[in-house]
Amino acid sequence: VQVTESGGDSVQAGESLKLSCQVSGISGTTFRRSCTAWFRQGPIRERELVATIVTGDSIDYKDSVKGRFTISQDNANNILFLEMNNLKPEDSSTYYCAVGAPSRCLERFRSSTGYSYWGQGTQVTVSS
């Protein structure tokens, strides 16, 4: 399984970005039934969940991004998206895409331990 993020950039506060994550090596059915998520990690912060789609049924967001970020996925092409609006300097971080099997993620979807496959990350920098 390969996970590849793109879309990171340097922007001003209040602007928007859309991150994409291409997942290859699994079928569309497996992708849809998996947990798919965006995490972020700064230089002095632990990796934290930003948003997740749990087995294609439910969506969970970090409180500080609710109303600003939207997670979605294209099951036909195995792509996960994160649309980020009204970006703030505190959103600056490296954003990682992650995929987890239901057997592992259903009880741990808010934790990085629930995910087996990770991308290399894409950098988002927001200036005030």
Side-chain angles (χ1 to χ4, degrees):
V1 180
Q2 285 190 312
V3 179
T4 307
E5 306 97 335
S6 62
D9 204 347
S10 296
V11 297
Q12 296 292 313
E15 293 184 340
S16 300
L17 279 176
K18 187 172 184 177
L19 306 182
S20 299
C21 171
Q22 179 70 61
V23 180
S24 58
I26 59 174
S27 70
T29 299
T30 300
F31 179 73
R32 181 177 57 80
R33 293 175 178 174
S34 299
C35 297
T36 53
W38 290 96
F39 284 76
R40 67 187 183 189
Q41 184 171 17
I44 59 172
R45 294 189 303 192
E46 292 184 357
R47 191 166 295 192
E48 60 182 12
L49 177 70
V50 177
T52 182
I53 300 176
V54 182
T55 62
D57 292 325
S58 62
I59 291 176
D60 192 49
Y61 291 99
K62 177 179 175 61
D63 284 346
S64 64
V65 308
K66 287 180 181 177
R68 300 189 297 123
F69 291 12
T70 302
I71 188 171
S72 62
Q73 61 187 41
D74 177 353
N75 294 321
N77 295 293
N78 286 15
I79 304 174
L80 182 69
F81 300 102
L82 183 68
E83 185 166 1
M84 305 184 292
N85 297 314
N86 189 23
L87 281 160
K88 302 177 180 182
E90 52 265 39
D91 295 318
S92 296
S93 195
T94 302
Y95 284 71
Y96 297 91
C97 177
V99 181
S103 59
R104 179 169 179 163
C105 69
L106 278 178
E107 294 185 0
R108 291 181 282 172
F109 60 86
R110 292 192 178 94
S111 169
S112 61
T113 61
Y115 300 84
S116 301
Y117 306 106
W118 293 83
Q120 294 298 307
T122 187
Q123 181 67 38
V124 173
T125 303
V126 186
S127 301
S128 58

